[in-house]
Amino acid sequence: MVFNTNSLKGKNIAITGATKGIGRATAMLLSSLGANLLLGARDVIHLQDLTSSFSGSQSNVIVQYLNVEEEKSIMEFLNLGLSKLGKIDALVNCAGYGLFNSFLDLTTEEFDRMISVNLRGSFLTSKHFANHMVRNKRGQIININSIAGNIVLEGNSGYSASKFGLLGLTKVMQLELRKQGVFVTSILPGSTNTSFWDHIDNHPDKSKMIPQEVIAMNIASVLCQPEGAVVEEITITPPLGVL
């Protein structure tokens, strides 16, 4: 993948769900490319581990507790970033939650949690960061969705509901925010080799999944897009297709 990494140097980028999986891989890559980072997640222990990973980094890295289910937490996250960095150029929404269960066996609590994190959390985070970007008349938002957001998979009723909703939300964001200088991209990965699968029985062979670093590279490429065109949606699948 070829892109101009120089454009990332000094760019201020916020990442939610930054302690694991795609979020962590993206943070590590963007830091190595010179971006300043505002990183948030709800796991305090992993946040501490993440901080040590950036020792000696040439980038400015700010790590903050963030629960995307709580609007107050999101506003505190944004305000800290603005106080330390002055502005936010891009937001990458990686925070997510999912489990697989049959439609009849899925509990109300499980369904609500997926909607709350994947859809409502992305809405709230995007809304507050977008308001800041609109005032600057410039910005990027990347929503990490899932291939489950546009195809039907058995045992995926709650997860797909949240991700189909996120895809629709992202499309409206694209339509409304582009007029104000803020461009939005939806990335829909297929099965990716992350800790997402650790609590899921009978998951596909992880060696056949997409490496999380590959998703991070695609995110970086979107952030490096030259002016004159906008990447609105990327679907990424394992070499063997849907697993």
Side-chain angles (χ1 to χ4, degrees), residues 147-166:
I147 198 169
N150 64 5
I151 66 171
V152 176
L153 299 171
E154 188 174 356
N156 246 18
S157 57
Y159 190 65
S160 280
S162 69
K163 293 299 188 176
F164 266 81
L166 179 57

Side-chain angles (χ1 to χ4, degrees), residues 109-240:
E109 291 76 16
E110 290 168 340
F111 180 86
D112 287 348
R113 179 79 195 285
M114 285 185 274
I115 295 295
S116 180
V117 175
N118 299 340
L119 180 54
R120 184 176 181 274
S122 295
F123 161 73
L124 288 174
T125 309
S126 296
K127 176 182 176 180
H128 287 289
F129 277 79
N131 270 298
H132 162 70
M133 293 174 184
V134 166
R135 288 192 292 270
N136 290 336
K137 299 180 180 179
R138 187 177 184 88
Q140 282 181 280
I141 297 175
I142 298 177
N143 286 333
I144 304 304
N145 201 311
S146 167
I147 198 169
N150 64 5
I151 66 171
V152 176
L153 299 171
E154 188 174 356
N156 246 18
S157 57
Y159 190 65
S160 280
S162 69
K163 293 299 188 176
F164 266 81
L166 179 57
L167 185 61
L169 172 66
T170 304
K171 288 180 180 294
V172 176
M173 289 169 58
Q174 290 168 343
L175 182 64
E176 294 185 3
L177 296 178
R178 62 160 42 105
K179 304 171 185 177
Q180 302 177 77
V182 180
F183 300 106
V184 185
T185 301
S186 182
I187 295 183
L188 297 90
S191 299
T192 303
N193 189 352
T194 71
S195 59
F196 174 88
W197 302 97
D198 292 350
H199 63 283
I200 296 175
D201 296 331
N202 301 318
H203 59 68
D205 183 348
K206 293 178 75 171
S207 68
K208 297 178 181 179
M209 296 182 183
I210 308 165
Q212 58 194 21
E213 293 79 10
V214 171
I215 307 299
M217 290 176 64
N218 278 272
I219 293 170
S221 72
V222 171
L223 293 169
C224 289
Q225 286 297 313
E227 294 185 6
V230 178
V231 177
E232 292 194 335
E233 187 173 305
I234 299 176
T235 299
I236 308 168
T237 64
L240 297 179

